[in-house]
Amino acid sequence: MKKVRVEDAVGMELCHDITRIVPGQFKGVLYPRGHRIRNEDIAELRKAGKEHIFVWEENAGEIHEDEAAVRIARAIMGPNTEFEQPREGKTMLKSMAKGLLRIDRSLLKRINSMENITIAARPDYFIVKQGDKLAGARIIPLVIKEKSILALEELCRTEGPVFEVKPYRQLKAGLVITGNEVYEGLIEDKFGPLLEEKLADYEADLIGKAYCPDDTGLISRSIKELLKAGADLIILTGGMSVDPDDLTPVAIRDSGAEVVTYGTPVQPGNMFMLAYLGNTALAGVPGGAIFSRTSLLDIVLPRIFSGEKMTREDFVIMGEGGLCNGCASCSYPNCYFGRGR
Ligand SMILES: Nc1nc2c(c(=O)[nH]1)N[C@H]1C(S)=C(S)[C@@H](COP(=O)(O)OP(=O)(O)OC[C@H]3O[C@@H](n4cnc5c(N)ncnc54)[C@H](O)[C@@H]3O)O[C@H]1N2
Ligand code: MOO
């Protein structure tokens, strides 16, 4: 690498993208890598704070930031991810599907511990759409020893990838809305429409919706019917807390399902129950979910639809970040809710 004053650099080629930042207005490439400097560029470069530029000189065993960023992206990317060509030395990994981002967090930590290599990512379990950013990879200097990149590539070959998007599967879902007050028409059902809207977002196949009074036998019968119809997911609402008429957890247990958790360190969602009967997930959703736009259900549904089998540990670690802030304008998943680890 040779350092040359900008005034003396006319006719020479830039060996990296030059960035201009105007606060509140612009951040991007002023001149791209490969641009041949003209007389009229000198003033612009000076305005961007550049007194000198680097002119590329090949050094054995070193590689350029753009090439390094591409090689890092190739090494860390897994199923349903792609990357964009580098800009300003950075490659951006993007999602090719709607689904759940999964990260090998210990591998990411090991890579970020390597000198001069950085990967900034969205958090594990982040809900993404096709085209969403997942992670930006870049080296810190303009060049890096190729052996560092070779070490990273070897690590990912044996233990990678770091990033994967698990697309939502099309599941058969059934609803069991419990509560005498709803069954007898004393109040209008608010759970059914809310859940139908949420399930539509996952393109679920809604195979049945039953209304049940507070009667364990009738709730159990509805569960059996939905199982017989091939439900992958059964959502039961209401009757999840401490009143004598709260019978939904009993009916879920009576079905023979294995309970993963009853009670979670998440609010709203404290009285939530998750159980599995074979591969069918049974979710008991407490009344709080009809009041709050976002609740534990919005953390659990993406995991179920992406094929994750949840464990008690998954819920136990949700306590930190488990208290929804109840913002007037909800920006979930762009917040801390559900990020416990
Ligand atoms: N003393 C305690 N009180 C409460 C506890 C507790 O642990 N100790 N837990 C609280 C939590 S957390 C929740 S959430 C709520 C509700 O739990 P449930 O699932 O048992 O809800 P219900 O009692 O069945 O109903 C509560 C409320 O919501 C209305 N509701 C229910 N389903 C529907 C529906 N489909 N459409 C419209 N409205 C519905 C119901 O009529 C009640 O007004 O308990 C806390 N309290
Ligand atoms: O189970 Mo409740 O949903 O925490 O409000």
Side-chain angles (χ1 to χ4, degrees), residues 19-63:
T19 302
R20 168 189 272 164
I21 299 173
V22 183
Q25 288 177 32
F26 180 82
K27 177 182 178 296
V29 177
L30 172 63
Y31 297 114
R33 177 185 184 187
H35 174 78
R36 204 168 283 284
I37 296 170
R38 304 158 301 182
N39 262 321
E40 59 266 39
D41 298 334
I42 295 173
E44 289 303 316
L45 284 164
R46 297 288 309 274
K47 273 199 268 173
K50 312 295 166 201
E51 301 282 332
H52 300 87
I53 61 154
F54 276 132
V55 172
W56 185 251
E57 284 179 328
E58 202 71 47
N59 261 336
E62 281 186 341
I63 58 173

Side-chain angles (χ1 to χ4, degrees), residues 25-318:
Q25 288 177 32
F26 180 82
K27 177 182 178 296
V29 177
L30 172 63
Y31 297 114
R33 177 185 184 187
H35 174 78
R36 204 168 283 284
I37 296 170
R38 304 158 301 182
N39 262 321
E40 59 266 39
D41 298 334
I42 295 173
E44 289 303 316
L45 284 164
R46 297 288 309 274
K47 273 199 268 173
K50 312 295 166 201
E51 301 282 332
H52 300 87
I53 61 154
F54 276 132
V55 172
W56 185 251
E57 284 179 328
E58 202 71 47
N59 261 336
E62 281 186 341
I63 58 173
H64 186 272
E65 60 170 3
D66 287 351
E67 189 191 335
V70 166
R71 284 176 62 173
I72 296 169
R74 283 212 177 97
I76 61 178
M77 66 194 283
N80 301 305
T81 68
E82 60 184 350
F83 69 90
E84 285 182 341
Q85 287 308 307
R87 280 173 72 85
E88 299 163 51
K90 178 178 73 189
T91 46
M92 187 60 73
L93 232 63
K94 296 202 156 180
S95 176
M96 293 172 74
K98 181 173 170 173
L100 199 61
L101 170 64
R102 290 306 324 272
I103 301 177
D104 182 333
R105 291 174 52 224
S106 75
L107 189 52
L108 177 62
K109 189 175 170 192
R110 280 171 76 184
I111 293 172
N112 276 327
S113 305
M114 296 169 97
E115 205 179 345
N116 286 328
I117 294 177
T118 68
I119 301 165
R122 287 188 140 166
D124 194 14
Y125 288 116
F126 202 76
I127 298 163
V128 294
K129 300 185 298 299
Q130 186 177 357
D132 277 357
K133 292 177 188 174
L134 306 175
R138 136 183 298 155
I139 59 164
I140 298 304
L142 183 55
V143 292
I144 193 165
K145 294 259 181 263
E146 189 179 16
K147 66 175 192 222
S148 302
I149 301 299
L150 286 168
L152 178 150
E153 287 170 336
E154 182 54 24
L155 185 62
C156 291
R157 224 183 336 267
T158 51
E159 299 190 27
V162 183
F163 298 96
E164 172 183 6
V165 173
K166 296 180 84 175
Y168 297 139
R169 303 163 308 152
Q170 208 193 357
L171 298 184
K172 288 184 181 162
L175 301 180
V176 182
I177 313 290
T178 82
N180 286 342
E181 71 281 30
V182 180
Y183 186 74
E184 290 167 12
L186 300 180
I187 61 166
E188 188 191 343
D189 171 32
K190 296 284 184 201
F191 249 130
L194 176 89
L195 292 175
E196 282 176 40
E197 193 190 317
K198 287 199 195 275
L199 288 173
D201 199 34
Y202 298 91
E203 288 161 40
D205 182 7
L206 186 62
I207 58 167
K209 180 165 78 167
Y211 286 91
C212 288
D214 297 315
D215 179 308
T216 320
L218 293 177
I219 300 171
S220 296
R221 199 173 73 188
S222 296
I223 295 176
K224 279 200 193 101
E225 282 169 6
L226 287 167
L227 285 170
K228 222 167 121 193
D232 303 299
L233 166 66
I234 301 174
I235 301 180
L236 300 100
T237 69
M240 289 300 299
S241 65
V242 295
D243 301 322
D245 302 323
D246 289 342
L247 303 172
T248 307
V250 180
I252 293 176
R253 284 187 203 279
D254 283 355
S255 72
E258 200 174 314
V259 175
V260 174
T261 194
Y262 174 41
T264 72
V266 178
Q267 292 175 3
N270 262 168
M271 318 299 281
F272 184 89
M273 180 183 260
L274 182 69
Y276 287 104
L277 192 64
N279 286 326
T280 303
L282 282 78
V285 182
I290 37 172
F291 182 72
S292 312
R293 180 189 179 278
T294 299
S295 71
L296 175 58
L297 193 59
D298 301 287
I299 302 169
V300 170
L301 285 180
R303 302 207 190 182
I304 291 175
F305 276 90
S306 63
E308 299 268 322
K309 191 137 191 183
M310 295 191 73
T311 64
R312 170 123 173 96
E313 174 73 7
D314 289 328
F315 289 97
V316 167
I317 59 173
M318 284 181 192

